[in-house]
Amino acid sequence: MSELSFEQMLEESLKTIRTGEVVTGKVIDVKEDEIVLNIGYKSDGIITRSEYTNESNVDLRNLVHVGDEMEAKVVKVNDGEGQVALSYKRLAADRGNKKLEEAFENHEVLTAKVSQVLDGGLSVIVDEARIFIPASLVSDVYEKDLSKYADKEIEFVITEFNPRRRRVIGDRKQLIVAKKAEMQKALFEKIHVGDKVEGTVKNVTDFGAFIDLGGADGLLHISEMSWGRIENPKKVFKVGDKVTALIKDINGEKIALSMKFPETNPWADAAEKYAVGNVVTGKVARMTDFGAFVELEPGVDALLHVSQISREHVAKPADVLSIGQEITAKIVDFNEADRKISLSMKALEADNAQEQTEE
């Protein structure tokens, strides 16, 4: 038997490797941009920075240390310099793809950080495997600017899995739709007409405000915002405001809200406050040719007829009064059923004149 040289014996004792194989090795050197592994082969394995991570400027010495044991995928048995080109990133991506395939088959909800905001959607990475979430599947509402999702953790499901075509599609929208449907069902099960509810102003229009009640929106119409008069809802509410309101009506999936709380109803004690003969002060709110409407308090207006403005002849209210002007007058009529109150400045003038005469 011929004696084998030391080199031949050594070579035979070392394993053979193939491209695509997964090998385990021990880190024997780490530079800023490459890792050297002893993989029990005649040559050492090299993992360059670009084959370790997608982060271009990272210092590998902060991530890997001599003595660490790690797995990698063989990219080339000979990289041209007699060493084995390895990839840690591709192995992680393979395993990530396996995880994504299982998630796709099981309809599993995944959570990952958004790695890139693209023109057409978001890119997320799960174990080095990349998933694309198209803009149309990011939310249940159209969002022109997706930049707010940068570096945010989001939940999604895999709806298309084709790694060979590098097409792995994620969907966040269906999770939001399902969650909202669940919240809506729970909300409608617990609310009743007359209940007080808390919500957040979602949108304000000229005719009212939409309030997010957590599962459904309620409409707070301009006429239900106050017992008083609201000229412009946008001056009273802004998006994000927290509000407490009453459920006025529920019609299918439509909820009508009101902030006219019974306990703050100004007509509750109006009979006493505005009894005939009482002298009151109010502000001129609006005028017509036949008289002026005076706000005695929010929600309580009284009519000052043109004939009751002065003992002297007044052709039209605007000749002697102005909007916002404070006036004092006497209550001459109170009709609670129709919520009508009539005022007279003329009667007050007559009272004052009589008092002076008596003196």
Side-chain angles (χ1 to χ4, degrees):
M1 190 174 77
S2 61
E3 284 189 19
L4 293 170
S5 69
F6 176 72
E7 281 81 6
Q8 284 173 311
M9 284 170 63
L10 182 66
E11 193 147 324
E12 282 189 5
S13 72
L14 293 168
K15 61 186 176 188
T16 56
I17 57 170
R18 297 182 312 278
T19 300
E21 190 181 330
V22 175
V23 294
T24 304
K26 193 165 266 189
V27 177
I28 53 173
D29 189 21
V30 186
K31 299 183 180 122
E32 186 183 345
D33 59 356
E34 73 173 26
I35 300 160
V36 183
L37 278 185
N38 175 355
I39 54 171
Y41 184 62
K42 60 183 178 183
S43 309
D44 290 330
I46 302 289
I47 304 173
T48 60
R49 178 160 50 197
S50 64
E51 286 298 340
Y52 183 82
T53 176
N54 284 315
E55 291 180 49
S56 55
N57 297 318
V58 73
D59 187 338
L60 295 178
R61 291 171 296 190
N62 296 328
L63 304 176
V64 180
H65 306 97
V66 171
D68 287 355
E69 195 170 271
M70 60 188 292
E71 288 182 305
K73 188 174 185 176
V74 176
V75 179
K76 272 186 189 170
V77 176
N78 185 338
D79 65 359
E81 292 179 15
Q83 290 169 313
V84 182
L86 301 175
S87 177
Y88 174 77
K89 190 172 84 173
R90 293 187 209 186
L91 175 63
D94 287 348
R95 288 178 177 168
N97 272 328
K98 184 71 184 153
K99 184 176 175 179
L100 295 185
E101 189 176 9
E102 286 170 7
F104 170 65
E105 286 168 359
N106 301 326
H107 309 291
E108 186 188 336
V109 177
L110 298 173
T111 304
K113 191 187 271 191
V114 173
S115 61
Q116 264 182 302
V117 176
L118 308 164
D119 284 346
L122 305 174
S123 176
V124 294
I125 292 172
V126 173
D127 296 344
E128 297 295 334
R130 197 176 291 274
I131 301 111
F132 178 63
I133 303 176
S136 61
L137 298 179
V138 170
S139 179
D140 64 330
V141 291
Y142 171 69
E143 290 192 274
K144 192 177 180 183
D145 183 14
L146 297 175
S147 60
K148 69 176 182 182
Y149 291 102
D151 296 325
K152 283 238 178 91
E153 282 220 331
I154 60 169
E155 287 188 334
F156 56 93
V157 288
I158 306 292
T159 52
E160 195 178 327
F161 182 76
N162 190 339
R164 281 184 185 169
R165 287 182 58 209
R166 293 195 168 185
R167 189 172 168 83
V168 182
I169 303 295
D171 182 348
R172 180 173 177 265
K173 178 181 174 177
Q174 65 171 266
L175 297 181
I176 295 171
V177 169
K179 191 175 182 182
K180 280 190 176 176
E182 209 174 280
M183 286 170 69
Q184 186 184 52
K185 186 170 178 276
L187 178 73
F188 278 99
E189 279 173 1
K190 72 176 184 182
I191 60 171
H192 308 91
V193 172
D195 286 354
K196 264 189 188 177
V197 288
E198 288 186 354
T200 307
V201 177
K202 189 174 175 181
N203 189 22
V204 187
T205 68
D206 292 337
F207 63 84
F210 289 93
I211 314 296
D212 182 354
L213 303 174
D217 293 346
L219 172 62
L220 178 62
H221 193 266
I222 184 170
S223 62
E224 293 294 333
M225 288 181 173
S226 166
W227 286 106
R229 191 181 297 102
I230 301 286
E231 301 293 343
N232 184 351
K234 291 175 182 175
K235 287 184 179 175
V236 184
F237 296 103
K238 61 180 187 295
V239 172
D241 284 352
K242 302 277 184 229
V243 295
T244 301
L246 283 174
I247 304 268
K248 185 174 181 248
D249 188 36
I250 301 170
N251 184 359
E253 290 184 359
K254 289 182 179 176
I255 302 169
L257 301 174
S258 176
M259 289 182 78
K260 289 181 174 179
F261 300 105
E263 62 269 28
T264 60
N265 185 350
W267 284 90
D269 56 357
E272 193 182 328
K273 264 196 286 188
Y274 305 119
V276 171
N278 285 4
V279 175
V280 292
T281 301
K283 279 186 181 172
V284 177
R286 60 194 196 282
M287 286 187 274
T288 65
D289 287 345
F290 64 82
F293 288 92
V294 179
E295 186 181 64
L296 303 180
E297 65 176 294
V300 180
D301 285 356
L303 173 65
L304 174 63
H305 195 270
V306 65
S307 64
Q308 298 300 313
I309 292 174
S310 175
R311 292 165 81 185
E312 294 172 19
H313 175 70
V314 175
K316 57 180 191 287
D319 293 341
V320 289
L321 299 173
S322 57
I323 300 289
Q325 182 183 339
E326 198 169 83
I327 61 119
T328 303
K330 191 174 185 177
I331 307 265
V332 289
D333 188 42
F334 177 84
N335 179 340
E336 189 165 17
D338 295 334
R339 293 192 171 178
K340 285 182 179 174
I341 300 171
S342 298
L343 301 178
S344 176
M345 288 171 75
K346 186 168 147 182
L348 200 56
E349 273 181 34
D351 289 351
N352 292 340
Q354 195 176 340
E355 279 174 23
Q356 285 170 2
T357 306
E358 285 170 2
E359 283 173 11

